[in-house]
Amino acid sequence: LDHNAFAKIKVFLGNETDEAGNERRIAAKPRVQIERSLTREAWSFAMRVLDALPDSAAAARMRFVLALTYSTGLRRAEVCGAFTDDISVRYAGAELGSIHLLRVVGKGAKERFIPLVPAVLQALGDYLETREFPRDPLACPVGTPLIPALPDKQDIGRVRREAAARGDDVHKALAGLARQAGPIHHDQLYKAVKRFFATATAAALREDSPHARAFAEVSPHWLRHTFVSHAVANGMSLESARNFAG
């Protein structure tokens, strides 16, 4: 799945006329090879691995983590500090209409607003729904993190025992525990990304894929570089991509 916010945005240099006399625009070519990023082929392979993961809270979270980071280029700390409260809707003109923006405060306390494209909003709605929140982030309770910490085994066991002792629905009790979760810590996010790409590495090795070496090195920062690399490859200027990435 292509969640890149700029996948269909092109920067055009001018016009040219073909042999039939038809005028067409000339798209800018990528100007830089971003290091420590995944190729399109490697990203597609990783998405195939992601889709094959068994359903679990960790898998659902990773699906949204990758959708969000690939679309926005957020830093790890910015991902961990993102809440539904930071999302707003603004009118962006007749062509775009109303769009959802994610407010981010990055390095040096610099504020920027990142557009959330429909595919990412769909992924966010799906993820919020698995956590038994409203699909609309604007309708979520104040302080709802986009990426939550997952309850540990001790807390899950405690809630199961307490619910059973009271005769309550265990599923509802566990859902309540999940809704109370705070934001993921940046170390937890790092480890979760490394675990997923360890799985992708194993899958690549089984298929004798050339992507195994890159997957073994991937960290959250690689996802940021991948966003910039793919945005530029789709015709966005490097300066614009860097401005959006902060």
Side-chain angles (χ1 to χ4, degrees), residues 19-33:
E19 294 179 357
N22 299 313
E23 191 175 74
R24 65 184 182 87
R25 292 184 294 177
I26 307 170
K29 296 295 190 294
R31 299 184 303 181
V32 66
Q33 178 66 43

Side-chain angles (χ1 to χ4, degrees), residues 30-229:
R31 299 184 303 181
V32 66
Q33 178 66 43
I34 306 294
E35 295 180 354
R36 293 192 297 168
S37 69
L38 295 173
T39 64
R40 286 183 177 280
E41 293 76 18
W43 185 258
S44 295
F45 189 104
M47 292 301 97
R48 180 156 58 85
V49 174
L50 183 67
D51 289 341
L53 291 178
D55 286 338
S56 67
R61 185 176 68 177
M62 184 51 57
R63 290 188 180 100
F64 182 63
V65 165
L66 295 182
L68 180 66
T69 53
Y70 183 64
S71 169
T72 60
L74 294 178
R75 297 180 178 88
R76 181 173 27 150
E78 294 168 348
V79 171
C80 297
F83 293 82
T84 54
D85 314 40
D86 298 318
I87 297 175
S88 60
V89 178
R90 293 188 183 180
Y91 183 68
E95 184 176 355
L96 293 177
S98 295
I99 62 173
H100 286 72
L101 298 173
L102 176 65
R103 175 182 174 270
V104 176
V105 179
K107 284 187 175 180
K110 291 182 179 179
E111 182 183 66
R112 67 190 192 279
F113 291 86
I114 306 296
L116 299 178
V117 295
V120 175
L121 288 172
Q122 176 70 33
L124 174 57
D126 291 346
Y127 186 42
L128 288 171
E129 201 168 51
T130 67
R131 296 156 60 192
E132 301 198 2
F133 286 116
R135 289 189 62 86
D136 181 359
L138 304 183
C140 288
V142 173
T144 300
L146 295 194
I147 312 293
L150 298 180
D152 60 29
K153 292 182 179 179
Q154 283 187 329
D155 284 337
I156 292 173
R158 173 181 56 78
V159 169
R160 283 183 181 277
R161 290 191 299 273
E162 292 174 352
R166 294 192 302 267
D168 294 341
D169 186 301
V170 173
H171 173 75
K172 288 184 177 179
L174 291 175
L177 176 65
R179 285 196 299 273
Q180 297 168 16
I184 189 172
H185 188 273
H186 58 85
D187 285 341
Q188 292 176 318
L189 179 61
Y190 180 89
K191 291 175 182 178
V193 170
K194 293 297 288 186
R195 278 196 300 271
F196 168 71
F197 278 99
T199 301
T201 300
L205 289 171
R206 285 195 300 270
E207 297 185 21
D208 196 24
S209 166
H211 307 312
R213 183 174 179 180
F215 289 158
E217 298 180 20
V218 170
S219 69
H221 201 67
W222 273 62
L223 304 179
R224 177 173 164 81
H225 284 198
T226 299
F227 157 78
V228 174
S229 176

Side-chain angles (χ1 to χ4, degrees), residues 5-28:
F6 308 106
K8 292 181 173 59
I9 292 179
K10 298 286 186 181
V11 175
F12 292 99
L13 301 178
N15 298 327
E16 70 177 8
T17 304
D18 62 20
E19 294 179 357
N22 299 313
E23 191 175 74
R24 65 184 182 87
R25 292 184 294 177
I26 307 170

